[in-house]
Amino acid sequence: MSFQILGTGSALPARSVTNDELSAILDTSDEWIFTRTGIKSRRVCTTETLDDLAVEASRRAIEAAEVDPTELDLIVCSTTTGDHLLPAEACAVAERLGASCPAFDVSGACAGFVLALDVADGYIARGRARRVLVVAAEQMSRVLDWTDRSTCVLFGDGAGAAVIEAPDAPSAACAAGSTVASPAPNPLSMRFTTDPSVAVLNVPGVAGTSPFAEVPRRASALSMDGRRVFRFGVAAICDAVEAMASDAGVAVADIDHLVFHQANERILAAAIKRLGIDGSRVVRTLRDTGNISSACIPLALDRLARAGELKGGDLVALVGFGAGLDIGACLLRWK
């Protein structure tokens, strides 16, 4: 497995919904929400579609990578809240970008972006693709029960993307027998696990109108066991980071940037304490975006990149965790 990130991009809806605004329609307050979650506001789609966000994030990533959409060999999109059950969200992205490469979706909930990276890496490893657009786009606002203060205050909408590429092929001299080394593997580690549980974090599927259905279906609104998610999230982060550091032969303290799924500030704080790491190395986007599921990680990565905080040689850990209960983790060296 080997790839490098050429460019990143992200997009958010224009509308920001503050905790005070939610307090006007729910039995809650800014203090109650912020002290329990670390969230002050979240972005929510009004006139934008998820296609709009996915395409905008993708365009920004492509521009940063300095490539043309026609040069893409594959588009992989992570989403669980697409604008259409079919075709894939990735197909809508391809159409609007003017790309003609294969395009499909993966569904890994909050671990989806890292899963999509791994799928793209597999295409690169098999020689089926060289340059891949990986995008995560989520409109969580469409699957929330907006009367449930325990869940609707947590989530927002948005998209993030990255263009990845196979490392430079060995030179002709190397192929002819020179001692020039091939590029070192990157990422240094990728790990995926599942602690199977459907009920802990769940959105029922579309009920449909079949006259033959005999089993009633619940509305497609999110339900969550918050305490179970908290325990799972802390363990997921700590276990993944320690395992990847061991795989790469580095210390956890050597990792320069830790980009975790932005589920809840309390989860991040507990993981930081358990790992004994410098909290300033952990990226936070929660305060003004909320939890945007699989788009959290690429959006945070894009913010780091555009702020100039990622330097060549930096070690970057990505850890996504969520419904399933799935965990996807990646340790890479920034090029």
Side-chain angles (χ1 to χ4, degrees), residues 49-56 58-59 75 77 79 82-84 86-99 101-105 133 135 137:
T49 66
L50 193 63
D51 288 353
D52 293 335
L53 298 180
V55 170
E56 185 60 26
S58 298
R59 282 186 176 138
I75 298 174
C77 179
T79 188
D83 278 341
H84 17 81
L86 55 92
E89 190 73 32
C91 293
V93 172
E95 180 179 40
R96 288 176 54 176
L97 289 178
C101 58
F104 59 84
D105 291 352
L133 170 65
V135 55

Side-chain angles (χ1 to χ4, degrees), residues 40-58:
K40 277 287 188 179
S41 62
R42 70 285 298 144
R43 298 295 188 92
V44 175
C45 287
T46 53
T47 60
E48 308 92 344
T49 66
L50 193 63
D51 288 353
D52 293 335
L53 298 180
V55 170
E56 185 60 26
S58 298

Side-chain angles (χ1 to χ4, degrees), residues 104-182:
F104 59 84
D105 291 352
V106 297
S107 177
C110 302
F113 178 75
V114 184
L115 175 61
L117 279 179
D118 190 51
V119 171
D121 183 41
Y123 273 76
I124 290 172
R126 298 196 308 276
R128 300 283 300 278
R130 176 168 176 77
R131 189 172 288 144
V132 183
L133 170 65
V134 181
V135 55
E138 303 285 4
Q139 189 175 341
M140 296 303 294
S141 61
R142 68 176 15 137
V143 295
L144 299 176
D145 175 355
W146 286 94
T147 66
D148 179 8
R149 71 171 186 172
S150 67
T151 57
C152 74
V153 302
L154 299 172
F155 295 92
D157 305 333
V163 176
I164 70 170
E165 184 180 59
D168 292 337
S171 67
C174 180
S178 167
T179 57
V180 176
S182 298

Side-chain angles (χ1 to χ4, degrees), residues 11-335:
L12 293 168
R15 177 75 157 91
S16 176
V17 177
T18 67
N19 291 344
D20 287 333
E21 288 181 88
L22 291 182
S23 299
I25 61 173
L26 296 167
D27 181 16
T28 189
S29 67
D30 173 62
E31 180 185 14
W32 189 93
I33 297 170
F34 183 67
T35 57
R36 287 163 176 78
T37 69
I39 300 169
K40 277 287 188 179
S41 62
R42 70 285 298 144
R43 298 295 188 92
V44 175
C45 287
T46 53
T47 60
E48 308 92 344
T49 66
L50 193 63
D51 288 353
D52 293 335
L53 298 180
V55 170
E56 185 60 26
S58 298
R59 282 186 176 138
R60 291 175 179 172
I62 290 169
E63 289 170 0
E66 298 182 343
V67 302
D68 190 271
T70 60
E71 298 176 302
L72 297 172
D73 300 310
L74 178 67
I75 298 174
V76 184
C77 179
S78 166
T79 188
T80 55
T81 55
D83 278 341
H84 17 81
L85 291 177
L86 55 92
E89 190 73 32
C91 293
V93 172
E95 180 179 40
R96 288 176 54 176
L97 289 178
S100 58
C101 58
F104 59 84
D105 291 352
V106 297
S107 177
C110 302
F113 178 75
V114 184
L115 175 61
L117 279 179
D118 190 51
V119 171
D121 183 41
Y123 273 76
I124 290 172
R126 298 196 308 276
R128 300 283 300 278
R130 176 168 176 77
R131 189 172 288 144
V132 183
L133 170 65
V134 181
V135 55
E138 303 285 4
Q139 189 175 341
M140 296 303 294
S141 61
R142 68 176 15 137
V143 295
L144 299 176
D145 175 355
W146 286 94
T147 66
D148 179 8
R149 71 171 186 172
S150 67
T151 57
C152 74
V153 302
L154 299 172
F155 295 92
D157 305 333
V163 176
I164 70 170
E165 184 180 59
D168 292 337
S171 67
C174 180
S178 167
T179 57
V180 176
S182 298
N186 189 41
L188 305 178
S189 175
M190 294 191 86
R191 285 182 166 260
F192 299 90
T193 57
T194 300
D195 179 10
S197 176
V198 171
V200 170
L201 183 52
N202 180 268
V203 178
V206 175
T209 59
S210 168
F212 307 104
E214 298 182 6
V215 179
R217 294 293 298 272
R218 293 185 293 129
S220 295
L222 183 144
S223 63
M224 181 175 68
D225 179 343
R227 292 182 180 180
R228 177 73 176 88
V229 170
F230 176 87
R231 295 194 302 270
F232 164 71
V234 175
I237 290 172
C238 296
D239 292 348
V241 169
E242 290 171 347
M244 290 192 299
S246 177
D247 289 344
V250 301
V252 171
D254 293 333
I255 300 174
D256 300 288
H257 305 281
L258 298 116
V259 184
F260 302 145
H261 172 54
Q262 304 288 297
N264 186 301
E265 174 60 31
R266 287 183 172 181
I267 291 177
L268 299 180
I272 289 168
K273 182 177 180 180
R274 186 180 299 185
L275 287 169
I277 57 178
D278 180 354
S280 67
R281 296 186 180 186
V282 177
V283 184
R284 266 99 158 179
T285 60
L286 260 177
R287 184 184 178 94
D288 63 348
T289 68
N291 178 350
I292 46 176
S293 190
S294 68
C296 285
I297 288 176
L299 180 137
L301 195 61
D302 183 49
R303 287 191 174 180
L304 278 178
R306 292 177 185 272
E309 295 184 32
L310 292 171
K311 310 299 182 185
D314 280 358
L315 286 174
V316 183
L318 315 177
V319 183
F321 56 90
L325 297 165
D326 283 341
I327 304 168
C330 172
L331 179 65
L332 58 86
R333 192 173 294 281
W334 193 256
K335 299 290 185 179

